[in-house]
């Protein structure tokens, strides 16, 4: 059998809080840089948050020809089309910007219509500006079957394309047209690439849903931070709650900054990572705080900085070990979980590291600057603590 | 003391065994599952669409256009009614949410307002905005009721249509006030499905056996023959209901009834159908209402054909054939018969669901191919196995074979409990869900780390093995609870706010944290207490 390996000596005596100014300067720079990067460079929002189309496609023969595909993509009239290799050489992720329900989109749909139904079939926006109505022109009377086929060709609900005389009016609201144009975008892209690619995954998020997801995303991050701070405040003193909140905001902000710098896609799973980081990075902080509270009763004469130092050193092994286990688990995700979870895993990895750092320096240092003084400790607490320890010790 | 009362030990053991029992179907190979009873073997976690492949479609139900149509109908009836009463208005304009009635004579205002109010009593708000201008709108209550109805009806129609494709395990859910979520596993190209869902069903009223006739299957006939027919490849993909109906009647003419070739009124003319009760006999009936032109056509047909059956044909099958009792000329009528209220509900729904009540627009669409799903399962499994192995190794190295072993055992129990919990809750496993599982593996042992580190500390203060262990459990507890609860707060809020992929992640993460509070603390405490009684070590190798 083997003996347990210890990463740290039994007792450490690092002067963490002595370096608090250095840590504060470093963190302030990190945070300001993060905010600046978000505003200057911006986040690479996935389609979840800004709407648009994402298609994961696998080349039918050999590696994907990125240059050729890019050339085709930019000539589609779908606005910005970005391509990237996705996990393997023969697989690409095509991202197409959110389609507007404008004339360009209707022109695309018209081309699809002509291709599917033959010459003489076309569509154009109705001139009045109020609605999103379309006008569908056919070479002759539109039969039931033709109406159904035409609707399918351009991705419209079948009941909107009426059989009968040509031209027929397709009644759409402007916002319905905006949503419909995402489907047109998919059809156009697939039509152009079908000869070279097999489509493995297709996603489209319309403007309505995209806006809502970003909105609820921001709200949920705020709520999580607030809820955790309130919890810590209730379990400890209000200063601890504020310190925890500062550390949390620090972790979340720098993670967002990481997304801005690396331009990793910020999507729904990245948001999940952000929320998990908020929930998890507080764990180490709580362990330190728990010890601080205990030591406040035990050591009456120590200055606050010394007390925080002692507490941090006493819990250092814990902090490193708990972060270590999660770090290993997340590392496995980064290495093996595949491209879909890549943003998530990288963010989590960063979160674990920065969470550990912020527990040791940021949360504690904040306590120092709030001139934290325990008001609940009574002079006789020292005695009580002693009796309690002897109490346990006399037991067999 | 470390040792727990006997009843607690039994309860803990019981919980672990129950979890094992519940999680077992997920871990057994199908060959073994086939020998087990169905109710037990079927209790397995289903895979999410991203792992098994399939389509996720979110539809927006256009409730506005329903309200607008209703206002247009209302303005027609107001005109008709006022003409009857020989009152004049200058103009009735609709802005999509209300009608503005401009009067010629301010003196008529009160009378006209009353007339309008009585057209649909209790449902309309009529306000005088200027001496010669009235504003007419449906009450908020009525709008809410209507929205609800439109959504329910849309969901019902969508469900029926998806079911008819024979897709396995489709999920059709309401989402919010005006959305329908459709999730269909195994469908890679949803274009056909979208087409099918948004297709208007064809409804017609035809007289029975008058003039030139055609055969149309009765509902019972269709249900009897179609399942057999649908098995052949030729008919599986056929979406033309007329062809299917003709084939059914060719195979089994007795299941069909002859109806007139001429359509009396088509379903598009039907504006409403409701299940209600006859005010005199209190029996369940269905009331319906036509548009003005539909009402006129219906009036002519019913006047000429009293005491003859009228076939209601939905998608080429006869769903009901009530006998015409009297001429129906008011634009609305009732269908009586020996119905139960369930039957009238169904019939009203079918009459209404002739058409989708509103246009459905796709606003979110996610499809994953089955082979991509298989890749994701492979990647997720590798990540999970490697992650777990790393953590297991780390714990062994850090706390030795005994204590590391107990922590790892607790982690295994935790995974078991998460599987059991997901089986019971009927939650499905997604790729982010697997990530959540891997994270819980790393977080579950954290509680053991906190306990063990405390034990080390207490032991180095010179305590005996037993006392150090006891103190370790007791004093680490508050930090463990705080740490888990804070992460749980994030998990629960994520579940509440998140959509799609986030929900799957939040489920496994939250569930894993909850169960880890049991497995890492209570369960290991029981195991360690037994171990202490057995080994009675002087000093803990930790």
């Amino acid at each position: 059998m083997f003996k347990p390996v210890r990463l740290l000596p039994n007792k450490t005596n690092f002067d963490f809080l002595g370096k608090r100014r250095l840590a504060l300067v470093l963190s302030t720079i990190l945070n300001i840089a993060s905010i600046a990067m978000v505003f200057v460079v911006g986040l690479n929002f996935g389609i979840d948050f800004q709407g648009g189309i994402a298609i994961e496609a696998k080349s039918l023969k050999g590696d994907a020809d990125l240059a050729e595909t890019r050339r085709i993509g930019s000539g589609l009239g779908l606005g910005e089309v970005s391509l990237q290799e996705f996990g393997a050489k023969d697989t690409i992720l095509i991202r197409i910007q959110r389609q507007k329900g404008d004339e360009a989109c209707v022109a695309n749909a018209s081309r699809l219509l002509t291709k599917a139904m033959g010459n003489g079939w076309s569509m154009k926006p109705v001139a009045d500006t109020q609605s999103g109505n379309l006008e569908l022109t056919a070479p002759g009377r539109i039969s039931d079957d033709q109406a159904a086929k035409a609707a399918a060709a351009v991705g419209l609900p079948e009941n909107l394309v009426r059989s009968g005389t040509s031209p027929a009016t397709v009644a759409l609201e402007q916002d319905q047209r905006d949503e419909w144009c995402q489907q047109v975008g998919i059809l156009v892209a697939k039509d152009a690439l079908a000869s070279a690619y097999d489509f493995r995954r297709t996603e489209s998020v319309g403007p309505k849903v995209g806006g809502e997801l970003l909105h609820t995303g921001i709200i949920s991050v705020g709520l999580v931070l607030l809820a955790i701070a309130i919890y810590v405040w209730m379990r400890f003193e209000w200063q601890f709650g504020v310190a925890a909140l500062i550390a949390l905001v620090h972790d979340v902000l720098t993670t967002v900054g990481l997304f801005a710098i690396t331009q990793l896609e910020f999507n729904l799973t990245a948001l999940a990572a952000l929320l998990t980081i908020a929930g998890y990075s507080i764990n180490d902080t709580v362990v330190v705080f728990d010890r601080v509270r205990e030591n406040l009763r035990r050591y009456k004469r120590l200055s606050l900085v010394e007390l925080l130092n002692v507490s941090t050193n006493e819990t250092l092994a814990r902090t490193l070990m708990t972060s270590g286990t999660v770090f290993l688990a997340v590392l496995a995700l980064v290495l093996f979980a595949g491209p879909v979870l890549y943003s998530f895993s990288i963010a989590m990895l960063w979160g674990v590291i920065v969470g550990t750092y912020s527990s040791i320096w940021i949360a504690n240092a904040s306590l120092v600057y709030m001139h934290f003084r325990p008001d609940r400790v009574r002079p006789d607490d020292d005695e009580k603590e002693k009796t309690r320890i002897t109490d346990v010790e006399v037991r067999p | 003391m470390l040792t727990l009362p006997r009843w607690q030990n039994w309860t803990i053991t019981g919980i672990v065994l129950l979890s094992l029992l519940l999680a077992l179907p997920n871990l057994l190979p199908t060959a073994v599952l086939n020998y087990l009873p169905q109710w037990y073997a079927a209790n397995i976690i289903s895979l999410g669409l991203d792992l098994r492949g399939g389509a996720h479609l979110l539809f927006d139900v256009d409730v506005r256009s329903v309200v607008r149509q209703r206002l247009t109908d209302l303005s027609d009836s107001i005109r008709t009614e006022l003409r009857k009463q020989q009152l004049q208005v200058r103009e009735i304009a609709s802005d999509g949410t209300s009608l503005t009635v401009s009067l010629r004579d301010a003196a008529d205002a009160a009378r006209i307002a009353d007339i309008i109010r009585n057209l649909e009593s209790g449902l309309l708000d009529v306000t005088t905005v200027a001496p010669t201008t009235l504003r007419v709108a449906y009450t908020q209550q009525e709008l809410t009721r209507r929205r609800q109805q439109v959504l329910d009806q849309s969901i019902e129609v969508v469900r029926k249509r998806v079911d008819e494709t024979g897709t396995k395990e489709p999920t059709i859910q309401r989402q919010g006030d005006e959305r329908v979520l459709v999730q269909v596993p195994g469908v890679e190209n949803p274009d056909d499905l979208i087409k099918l869902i948004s297709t208007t069903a064809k409804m017609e009223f035809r007289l029975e056996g008058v003039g030139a006739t055609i055969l149309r299957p009765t509902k019972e006939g269709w249900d009897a023959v179609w399942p057999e027919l649908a098995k052949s490849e030729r008919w599986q993909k056929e979406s033309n209901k007329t062809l299917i109906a003709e084939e059914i009647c060719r195979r089994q003419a007795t299941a069909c009834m002859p109806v007139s070739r001429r359509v009396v009124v088509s379903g598009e003319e039907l504006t409403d159908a409701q299940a209600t009760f006859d005010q005199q006999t209190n029996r369940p009936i269905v009331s319906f209402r036509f548009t003005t032109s539909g009402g006129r056509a219906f009036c002519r047909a019913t006047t000429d054909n009293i005491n003859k059956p009228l076939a209601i044909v939905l998608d080429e099958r006869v769903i009901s054939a009530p006998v015409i009792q009297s001429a129906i000329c008011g634009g609305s009528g009732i269908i009586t018969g020996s119905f139960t209220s369930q039957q009238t509900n169904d019939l009203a729904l079918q009459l209404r669901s002739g058409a989708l009540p509103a246009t459905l627009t796709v606003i979110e669409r996610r499809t994953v191919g089955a082979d991509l799903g298989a890749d994701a399962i492979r990647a997720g499994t590798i990540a999970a196995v490697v992650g777990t192995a790393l953590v297991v190794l780390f714990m062994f190295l850090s706390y030795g074979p005994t204590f590391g072993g107990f922590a790892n055992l607790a982690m295994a129990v935790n995974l078991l409990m998460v599987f059991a919990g997901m089986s019971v809750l009927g939650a499905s496993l997604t790729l982010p869900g697997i990530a959540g599982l891997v994270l819980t593996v790393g977080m579950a042992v954290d509680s053991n780390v906190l306990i063990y580190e405390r034990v080390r500390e207490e032991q180095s203060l010179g305590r005996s093995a037993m006392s150090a262990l006891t103190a370790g459990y007791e004093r680490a507890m508050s930090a463990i609870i705080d740490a888990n609860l804070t992460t749980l707060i994030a998990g629960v809020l994520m579940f509440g706010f998140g959509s799609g992929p986030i929900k799957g992640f939040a489920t496994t993460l939250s569930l894993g944290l909850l169960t880890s509070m049991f497995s890492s603390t209570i369960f290991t405490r029981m195991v360690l207490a037994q171990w202490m009684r057995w080994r009675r070590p002087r000093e803990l190798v930790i």
Side-chain angles (χ1 to χ4, degrees), chain B residues 296-484:
Chain B
R296 234 174 280 134
F298 202 66
C299 176
R300 269 197 305 276
T302 47
T303 315
D304 298 346
N305 293 287
I306 292 174
N307 285 333
K308 286 181 191 154
L310 179 78
I312 304 169
V313 186
L314 176 69
D315 272 341
E316 305 300 348
R317 78 191 91 168
V318 180
I319 54 165
S320 182
V323 175
I324 301 165
Q325 304 286 349
S326 60
I328 300 166
C329 290
S332 65
I334 55 172
I335 303 173
T336 58
S338 49
F339 294 124
T340 64
S341 63
Q342 180 59 44
Q343 282 168 326
T344 52
N345 270 326
D346 289 350
L347 183 57
L349 184 71
Q350 273 179 318
L351 287 175
R352 275 183 278 139
S353 71
L356 275 168
T359 304
L360 297 186
T361 323
V362 179
I363 54 172
E364 190 185 338
R365 149 181 179 158
R366 296 172 195 270
T367 56
V368 171
D371 61 331
L372 183 63
D375 284 0
I377 293 179
R378 205 170 308 125
T381 313
I382 294 175
V385 170
V386 173
T388 311
L390 285 175
V391 172
V392 165
L393 196 69
F394 186 77
M395 289 304 282
F396 266 130
L397 286 177
S398 303
Y399 297 107
T402 315
F403 286 86
F406 288 149
N408 290 331
L409 180 67
M411 190 233 293
V413 168
N414 185 41
L415 280 179
L416 214 59
M417 291 181 74
V418 175
F419 279 130
M422 288 184 71
S423 299
V424 171
L425 292 175
S428 50
L429 186 67
T430 60
L431 183 59
I434 295 180
L437 267 184
V438 178
L439 273 182
T440 28
V441 166
M443 292 181 187
V445 293
D446 283 3
S447 307
N448 292 106
V449 169
L450 294 180
I451 295 165
Y452 293 169
E453 288 294 331
R454 189 82 204 203
V455 174
R456 275 182 179 177
E457 208 179 329
E458 301 288 338
Q459 194 164 250
S460 72
L461 288 176
R463 294 199 176 183
S464 71
M466 194 52 151
S467 139
L469 260 187
T470 311
Y473 269 95
E474 277 169 4
R475 298 206 178 159
M477 221 43 208
S478 77
I480 291 174
I481 289 174
D482 286 346
N484 280 313

Side-chain angles (χ1 to χ4, degrees), chain B residues 4-12:
Chain B
L4 298 165
R6 181 165 294 176
W7 69 269
Q8 279 192 13
N9 282 339
W10 284 116
T11 314
I12 295 165

